[in-house]
Amino acid sequence: MPHVLSVNIGTRMDFDAATLDHTGIAKRPVTGPVHVHAPQSGSGVEGDFVADTKNHGGDLKAVYAYAREDLDEWSAELGRDLAPGLFGENLTTGGMDLTNAVLGERWRIGTALLQVTTPRIPCSTFARVMEQQGWIKAFTAKATPGAYFRVLEPGAIAAGDEAVLVDRPDHDVTIGLAFRAVTLEPDLLPRLLDAGEHFPENLRGKVERRLASKPA
């Protein structure tokens, strides 16, 4: 049964490697329900800190989720335990195949209604937090990026809450496909437009410009 294993929030911490000399990426599980909402900027998770609001947070990236199953694969590969929240995820999930989630699909999690929007793209802050040589390259190659959600209906989410798929659009543009298209496999870029209204406008412009600049 798809569910939430932990809700994780981060507080501001000084970090010389971060874009703004501070970060909220290293998140920790909290007890009890946490309110989520649609933010204009910053995190949609109450109490969670986002430093780089240009690239994180806001309506399209209000809540970030990563699957425990994918964390476990990384743990085996790296030979180290990976605590929930280490990847900067607000929700560590169980039983949710986030890589194959379709852009625009909606999930009722706790009392909130969330919608899948876009994959996470690794940054230098993430690499420094992991302290793993070649981390961005390795994370990109594995292509299990986790998923960002927008908040369609505010509500509360707690560890143990069930995640119920409410609706899945009729297209095949998944989080994994979108991630591969904008990173290592640009030949996939035209397929992203198949998501129609569910393809985020901030990415649509970039993709259309890249396609227009390709040699005929």
Side-chain angles (χ1 to χ4, degrees), residues 79-216:
R80 55 188 276 205
D81 291 335
L82 298 178
L86 180 63
F87 278 23
E89 77 272 17
N90 300 113
L91 304 179
T92 306
T93 64
M96 291 181 69
D97 185 357
L98 297 171
T99 303
N100 288 310
V102 170
L103 301 191
E105 70 180 35
R106 296 181 295 157
W107 287 81
R108 177 71 66 182
I109 306 179
T111 60
L113 182 64
L114 307 184
Q115 183 178 43
V116 173
T117 56
T118 186
R120 184 258 195 86
I121 306 299
C123 62
S124 58
T125 301
F126 186 26
R128 291 294 295 271
V129 166
M130 289 299 295
E131 298 181 333
Q132 193 75 31
Q133 186 71 28
W135 177 247
I136 291 179
K137 183 178 180 180
F139 187 86
T140 301
K142 197 170 186 67
T144 55
Y148 278 110
F149 292 81
R150 64 157 43 104
V151 180
L152 297 179
E153 295 178 8
I157 300 176
D161 279 349
E162 185 178 357
V164 179
L165 180 63
V166 174
D167 175 73
R168 176 169 284 157
D170 186 22
H171 64 76
D172 63 354
V173 182
T174 65
I175 283 291
L177 187 149
F179 180 79
R180 301 197 316 274
V182 299
T183 55
L184 297 178
E185 301 179 51
D187 288 347
L188 293 174
L189 285 171
R191 289 189 58 189
L192 301 189
L193 302 179
D194 293 343
E197 64 177 316
H198 300 297
F199 187 49
E201 284 300 321
N202 67 325
L203 287 181
R204 180 181 294 275
K206 294 179 182 178
V207 168
E208 289 177 341
R209 288 192 295 272
R210 288 177 66 177
L211 289 175
S213 66
K214 291 181 64 176

Side-chain angles (χ1 to χ4, degrees), residues 1-47:
M1 181 70 68
H3 62 289
V4 175
L5 290 169
S6 67
V7 180
N8 317 302
I9 63 172
T11 57
R12 173 177 171 145
M13 58 177 284
D14 294 334
F15 192 57
D16 291 342
T19 304
L20 303 173
D21 298 326
H22 51 272
T23 183
I25 192 173
K27 305 187 188 303
R28 298 289 184 269
V30 295
T31 58
V34 177
H35 183 73
V36 299
H37 64 283
Q40 292 184 337
S41 67
S43 178
V45 180
E46 187 174 325

